[in-house]
């Protein structure tokens, strides 16, 4: 059974289609040809009819909405995608700091001979590790919120 469009989605498409401004010269004369499969054309015309507009008006409105940044294509990267990727990279880099601190602690706890600087570094390790852990948790929370927001779109 085909899934029916949700009322909010249909209303949003109708709003996008209605925003298309009339040509100040009275008519649109330029033409762009596109090819569709039979099923794609059927779907386009059915959606246009449900919005009570012509198929060409619907296609033009949706294309112009995309051109002006009001509509994203499926699979298209958005600024939110870039933000999620940045947070992921940042979390990875900050986690490396914690790994380095753990390596110092492991060396000192295993009876290895510390370098003179290791003792000084270990004195700051607990404070730094706490800060790194909090930072990683904040980054993870921000990333999860961004992913949830993207999923809701």
């Amino acid at each position: 059974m085909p899934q029916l469009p949700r009322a909010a989605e249909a209303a949003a498409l109708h709003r996008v289609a209605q925003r298309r401004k009339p040509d100040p010269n009275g008519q649109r004369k330029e033409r762009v040809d596109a090819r569709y499969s039979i099923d794609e054309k059927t779907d386009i015309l059915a959606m246009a009819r449900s919005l009570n507009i012509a198929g060409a008006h619907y296609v033009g409105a949706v294309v112009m909405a995309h051109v002006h940044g009001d509509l994203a294509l499926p699979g298209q990267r958005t600024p939110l995608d870039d933000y999620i990727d940045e947070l992921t990279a940042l979390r990875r880099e900050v986690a490396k700091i914690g790994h380095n601190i753990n390596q110092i602690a492991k060396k000192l706890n295993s009876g290895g001979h510390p370098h003179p600087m290791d003792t000084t570094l270990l004195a700051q390790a607990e404070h730094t590790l706490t800060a790194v852990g909090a930072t990683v948790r904040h980054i993870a929370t921000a990333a999860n919120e961004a992913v949830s927001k993207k999923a809701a779109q």
Side-chain angles (χ1 to χ4, degrees), residues 95-107 109 125 129:
K96 287 179 185 179
I97 295 169
H99 178 74
N100 289 341
I101 293 169
N102 283 334
Q103 292 299 313
I104 294 168
K106 180 179 177 184
K107 180 180 177 185
N109 288 331
L129 197 51

Side-chain angles (χ1 to χ4, degrees), residues 17-28:
Q18 295 305 326
R19 272 188 273 169
R20 190 170 183 210
K21 302 276 189 268
D23 186 343
N25 298 324
Q27 73 181 49
R28 290 180 165 81

Side-chain angles (χ1 to χ4, degrees), residues 20 44-45 48-49 51-60:
R20 190 170 183 210
I44 290 167
L45 294 176
R49 272 192 298 278
L51 298 171
N52 200 27
I53 58 176
H57 184 135
Y58 173 69
V59 170

Side-chain angles (χ1 to χ4, degrees), residues 25-39:
N25 298 324
Q27 73 181 49
R28 290 180 165 81
K29 294 181 182 180
E30 295 299 318
R31 180 180 172 128
V32 175
D33 291 326
R35 295 187 181 270
Y36 303 100
S37 71
I38 293 171
D39 291 339

Side-chain angles (χ1 to χ4, degrees), residues 28-123:
R28 290 180 165 81
K29 294 181 182 180
E30 295 299 318
R31 180 180 172 128
V32 175
D33 291 326
R35 295 187 181 270
Y36 303 100
S37 71
I38 293 171
D39 291 339
E40 289 170 334
K41 182 179 179 183
T42 301
D43 290 346
I44 290 167
L45 294 176
M47 181 58 75
R49 272 192 298 278
S50 75
L51 298 171
N52 200 27
I53 58 176
H57 184 135
Y58 173 69
V59 170
V62 171
V63 168
M64 293 313 295
H66 175 72
V67 167
H68 293 122
D70 295 333
L71 183 66
L73 297 175
Q76 179 185 19
R77 287 193 61 82
T78 65
L80 188 55
D81 293 315
D82 295 337
Y83 177 68
I84 291 167
D85 290 346
E86 285 291 325
L87 288 172
T88 301
L90 182 60
R91 181 174 42 196
R92 194 174 16 244
E93 291 300 315
V94 172
K96 287 179 185 179
I97 295 169
H99 178 74
N100 289 341
I101 293 169
N102 283 334
Q103 292 299 313
I104 294 168
K106 180 179 177 184
K107 180 180 177 185
L108 293 175
N109 288 331
S110 67
H113 301 290
H115 292 112
M117 292 302 294
D118 284 348
T119 305
T120 305
L121 287 174
L122 192 57

